[in-house]
Amino acid sequence: VEIRLKGSAELDLDKLTTAQHCGHSTVFRQLRPLPPETVFDADEESILEAATYFSYDTSLMQKLRWLCTLTDVHVSKKQWAEVAESSILCAHSLIKSLDHLPNLWRPSRFDLWSDYRRSPWLSSVGLPDGPGNIGVTEFADAFFEPNILNQQRKGITVQHRLSVEDVCSMLIRVVNQIEAAYAEEDGPEDLACSQLEELLSMITASINDESKKKYHAEARTALRRVRAYICSKLAIFSERDVGKGFAMNRDAAAQMYVRVVLHGNKPQRFKESTTIPTFFEWKMPSICRVPKSTLMAARNTKHRNESWEDCICRTFAKPLVEALKSEDASPSIVATDQTTTDETKTYISVMVVHKKNAMRSRKFFVRHDHDGSITEYTVAHKFPHALSRQRSLITSEIKVTGQK
């Protein structure tokens, strides 16, 4: 990857580097909300695809860099369940990498960037009247390394390869993010316990693995410290009352989902020639998780005679409608009936769906009152997931007949 920095004398690499390295008073960085016009962008999908491209056994730092970026995207959208899921992917990658630490390559520790004998041209690198190659290298460190490493840098050994202690330091920070994200979502204690128990099982297996007896005492102590930290977080969630906090049903706020279909007149944003992809496919249903912030907004704006499900649909569709109106002159209408055939208008059909399983599920359904039939939607990955929305791969219509 080649990065070329161009700008006036106001471009200060030291400030950019400091912004990446600085610690934060809170668990998550203070990020601005994304612009309203980006609501249809396939940002989550693109970033997760980039993270999936890299392997934990050879390219851990690159994989973590993208997963941390995905976490930041969800933080900016206040999608805390997805923040937790993205952090869990980070934790899994870190634990699985323990067997492959000698094979990992850190891009910010590239030898040719620091060896003046092999690269004599390094003395000419950098902006005029600036720190030269040192400033560029420090900026590259901040850019290529994930945030969880930058914020722990004082405790990270400055060397070419990561040690077990380095990985454990990052694991503790990631576990802290998982606990904080589930606490922000306020509700899915059972899910949080299940995820932490899986991490506990993985780290315990790593400690008990006979092939890792070669670890020195400091490495074994670091692994046990991670295990104790996970146990402490498990105790916190176990003591909380299930269902405590704002929730409209037993599944809690994190377990509300809607089916969204866009149909009718296709606006310019969804033309095939657009350079920025969208996560919605025209006339195809998608399942989206409703974040707690949307549920809170729905509760505060609920009309007197409006049902709770209709209120959720209206609130969830509002930013979608506004984004279409700002980009296209044709009117955009939220419709609850997908059978509308008026092709002169753009319709956003939003309907609350229910999970088949209480905790995690790939299948969702909606029951139609007029004939008792059921429409079932199946997505690729179980929700909650690192993506807040997924397209329905299979849509089934189930007719319910009376029994004698």
Side-chain angles (χ1 to χ4, degrees):
V1 177
E2 178 183 4
I3 301 176
R4 298 188 179 185
L5 299 176
K6 298 175 63 177
S8 62
E10 297 179 357
L11 180 61
D12 193 334
L13 286 180
D14 289 338
K15 291 183 178 180
L16 293 175
T17 304
T18 302
Q20 289 288 333
H21 284 315
C22 66
H24 306 284
S25 58
T26 57
V27 177
F28 302 105
R29 296 198 294 172
Q30 301 299 319
L31 301 171
R32 295 180 180 179
L34 297 178
E37 59 269 18
T38 64
V39 68
F40 289 107
D41 293 352
D43 47 4
E44 301 174 22
E45 292 78 3
S46 301
I47 296 172
L48 183 60
E49 182 179 359
T52 305
Y53 176 80
F54 295 102
S55 173
Y56 60 82
D57 54 353
T58 58
S59 311
L60 175 67
M61 304 311 295
Q62 295 94 317
K63 188 179 188 70
L64 293 180
R65 183 67 175 85
W66 287 109
L67 288 176
C68 289
T69 302
L70 180 59
T71 300
D72 286 345
V73 169
H74 288 309
V75 169
S76 66
K77 298 178 181 180
K78 298 187 183 302
Q79 297 171 335
W80 300 111
E82 286 74 19
V83 171
E85 293 293 329
S86 302
S87 299
I88 288 167
L89 292 179
C90 289
H92 284 192
S93 299
L94 286 166
I95 295 175
K96 292 177 180 178
S97 72
L98 289 171
D99 292 332
H100 309 280
L101 293 183
N103 303 324
L104 298 181
W105 179 68
R106 297 176 64 181
S108 64
R109 302 298 179 213
F110 188 40
D111 290 339
L112 294 180
W113 287 8
S114 56
D115 191 339
Y116 285 82
R117 294 177 301 176
R118 298 171 61 187
S119 306
W121 46 267
L122 288 177
S123 58
S124 63
V125 172
L127 299 174
D129 302 324
N133 182 59
I134 296 177
V136 174
T137 302
E138 289 180 352
F139 171 78
D141 287 348
F143 182 83
F144 282 118
E145 304 287 15
N147 297 328
I148 53 176
L149 180 57
N150 289 335
Q151 296 170 13
Q152 297 278 352
R153 190 167 293 276
K154 291 183 179 179
I156 296 294
T157 55
V158 182
Q159 56 188 18
H160 290 279
R161 302 194 185 279
L162 290 175
S163 66
V164 175
E165 296 92 317
D166 298 336
V167 173
C168 289
S169 296
M170 289 189 283
L171 265 173
I172 288 177
R173 177 168 180 81
V174 170
V175 172
N176 195 34
Q177 288 182 343
I178 295 171
E179 188 271 337
Y182 279 126
E184 287 283 353
E185 193 65 39
D186 191 12
E189 282 84 2
D190 287 346
L191 179 60
C193 288
S194 175
Q195 297 283 27
L196 290 176
E197 286 169 354
E198 184 178 359
L199 294 180
L200 181 61
S201 176
M202 293 176 65
I203 200 69
T204 300
S206 182
I207 293 173
N208 297 333
D209 191 345
E210 292 294 331
S211 64
K212 298 184 177 63
K213 296 299 183 182
K214 59 184 179 180
Y215 284 165
H216 53 81
E218 290 80 1
R220 290 194 296 271
T221 300
L223 288 170
R224 293 190 180 100
R225 188 180 300 114
V226 173
R227 181 170 61 180
Y229 195 75
I230 296 175
C231 288
S232 68
K233 298 302 180 182
L234 263 172
I236 292 175
F237 282 107
S238 299
E239 293 172 357
R240 293 177 181 172
D241 295 331
V242 177
K244 183 180 180 181
F246 174 69
M248 296 309 299
N249 55 29
R250 189 174 178 272
D251 287 340
Q255 303 299 309
M256 296 294 293
Y257 296 86
V258 294
R259 181 229 63 195
V260 180
V261 180
L262 276 69
H263 56 102
N265 180 44
K266 184 183 291 188
Q268 187 63 33
R269 179 67 177 86
F270 289 86
K271 301 293 184 181
E272 295 181 359
S273 60
T274 55
T275 57
I276 302 178
T278 62
F279 61 87
F280 281 127
E281 186 173 349
W282 199 253
K283 293 184 179 180
M284 294 293 293
S286 295
I287 304 299
C288 307
R289 195 189 71 84
V290 183
K292 177 185 174 182
S293 58
T294 301
L295 292 174
M296 296 292 289
R299 185 184 67 172
N300 296 333
T301 60
K302 185 177 181 297
H303 301 154
R304 181 183 297 273
N305 297 323
E306 187 179 27
S307 69
W308 173 240
E309 290 192 354
D310 289 344
C311 182
I312 291 176
C313 294
R314 173 177 56 80
T315 306
F316 187 89
K318 182 179 178 180
L320 306 181
V321 174
E322 292 177 350
L324 285 181
K325 285 184 176 180
S326 65
E327 295 180 4
D328 199 280
S330 63
S332 300
I333 302 175
V334 178
T336 57
D337 187 2
Q338 193 177 343
T339 60
T340 305
T341 58
D342 186 357
E343 295 296 330
T344 64
K345 299 179 181 179
T346 302
Y347 293 91
I348 303 177
S349 177
V350 183
M351 182 180 296
V352 172
V353 294
H354 305 279
K355 288 196 307 180
K356 272 204 163 184
N357 298 324
M359 190 175 298
R360 301 174 69 88
S361 179
R362 293 175 56 234
K363 295 181 179 294
F364 298 80
F365 69 92
V366 58
R367 187 183 301 275
H368 304 285
D369 296 333
H370 63 280
D371 59 358
S373 62
I374 296 174
T375 303
E376 183 179 88
Y377 305 94
T378 304
V379 297
H381 306 283
K382 290 183 178 180
F383 272 114
H385 187 255
L387 299 177
S388 64
R389 63 271 175 136
Q390 297 183 63
R391 294 173 182 170
S392 175
L393 300 179
I394 302 174
T395 302
S396 306
E397 297 291 340
I398 303 173
K399 299 294 184 180
V400 180
T401 59
Q403 297 180 355
K404 294 183 180 180

